[in-house]
């Protein structure tokens, strides 16, 4: 692959990790092994790239991941011949990836649901949308490609209903509001998302359900579905989700990750046209924490 540098001044390894799919460590490995060329010449990682430099690099072969059906307990809220709705527990990754080849929602789906759409490939059968590993709650699953196309289009058209409950830091000044701020990859840390002018439009609506002084229980509704959207937006306005180790403070509520639950899910049934709406209970640790806040 080849890229032309538009803005110089950074090290070669950092430039590669910022502008390509390579991680910083993989960029360094390729540079050391002579697989990265600058204007046809081998350079060291500390080389400062210049405007107009042409950098060539190797695209790594995708890791072949094996996946198998696993008898993992899974709460199936609803199921018919076209769609299913499942309640993903906190701590479960949605689909296999490097470092998570088993124990995922997909592994469980393959055991409990025999027919799954194939549009997203063999590693993401039936997966129409995702939630983070440490976010619990409802997900729609497509059981055939026609259903998958219809559900994905409804998400794209912002017609699906997705409401979350979250405990956030601080006491919000307003009972309800809208956060409209574009989200994209952080320019400071490529592993994180951030509000950035270069990002894609993102809209989150919130309503206060209960106040506890130092913390607030919110209901949040997604109009868009950017990666880590609620977590990024709440951190952006100074009220990060409690328990969020990535976007929140170190001193926070103790749990198993962020206190964020996909509570309500609504969509149009792809075959019947019926409006479907489902709700799920918050996890035990979420309930226990709310009781402690109420009694404190």
């Amino acid at each position: 692959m080849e890229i032309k540098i538009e803005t110089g001044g950074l090290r070669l390894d950092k430039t590669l990790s910022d502008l390509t799919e390579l991680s910083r460590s993989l960029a360094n490995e390729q540079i050391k092994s002579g697989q990265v060329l600058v204007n046809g010449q081998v350079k060291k990682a500390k080389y400062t790239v210049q405007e107009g430099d042409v950098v060539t690099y190797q695209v790594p072969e995708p890791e072949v991941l094996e996946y198998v059906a696993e008898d993992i307990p899974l709460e199936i809220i609803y199921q018919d011949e076209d769609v299913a709705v499942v309640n993903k527990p906190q701590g479960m990754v949605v689909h296999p990836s490097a470092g998570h080849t088993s124990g995922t929602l997909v592994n469980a789906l393959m055991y409990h649901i025999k027919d799954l759409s194939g549009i997203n490939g063999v590693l993401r059968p039936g997966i129409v949308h995702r939630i983070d590993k440490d976010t619990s709650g409802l997900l729609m699953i497509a059981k055939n490609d026609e259903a998958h196309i219809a559900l994905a289009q409804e998400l794209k058209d912002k017609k699906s209903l997705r409401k979350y409950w979250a405990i956030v830091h601080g006491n919000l000044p307003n009972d309800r509001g809208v956060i409209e701020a574009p989200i994209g990859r952080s320019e400071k840390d490529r592993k994180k998302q951030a509000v950035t002018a270069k990002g894609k439009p993102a809209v989150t609506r919130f309503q206060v359900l209960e106040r506890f002084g130092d913390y607030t229980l919110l209901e949040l509704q997604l109009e868009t579905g950017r990666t880590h959207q609620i977590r990024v937006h709440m951190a952006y306005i100074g009220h990060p989700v409690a328990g969020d180790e990535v976007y929140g403070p170190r001193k926070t509520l103790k749990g198993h990750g962020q206190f964020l639950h996909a509570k309500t899910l609504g969509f149009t049934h792809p075959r019947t046209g019926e409006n479907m709406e489902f709700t799920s209970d918050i996890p035990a640790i979420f309930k226990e924490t709310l009781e402690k806040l109420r009694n404190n």
Side-chain angles (χ1 to χ4, degrees), residues 138-152:
L138 298 178
L139 285 167
M140 64 179 88
I141 305 298
K143 297 183 66 176
N144 54 64
D145 289 354
E146 291 78 11
H148 193 128
I149 291 169
L151 294 172

Side-chain angles (χ1 to χ4, degrees), residues 265-286:
L265 177 65
F267 56 88
T268 304
H269 193 281
R271 185 182 298 269
T272 67
E274 180 185 356
N275 289 326
M276 313 286 286
E277 186 170 320
F278 305 90
T279 60
S280 61
D281 208 359
I282 54 177
I285 186 68
F286 204 128

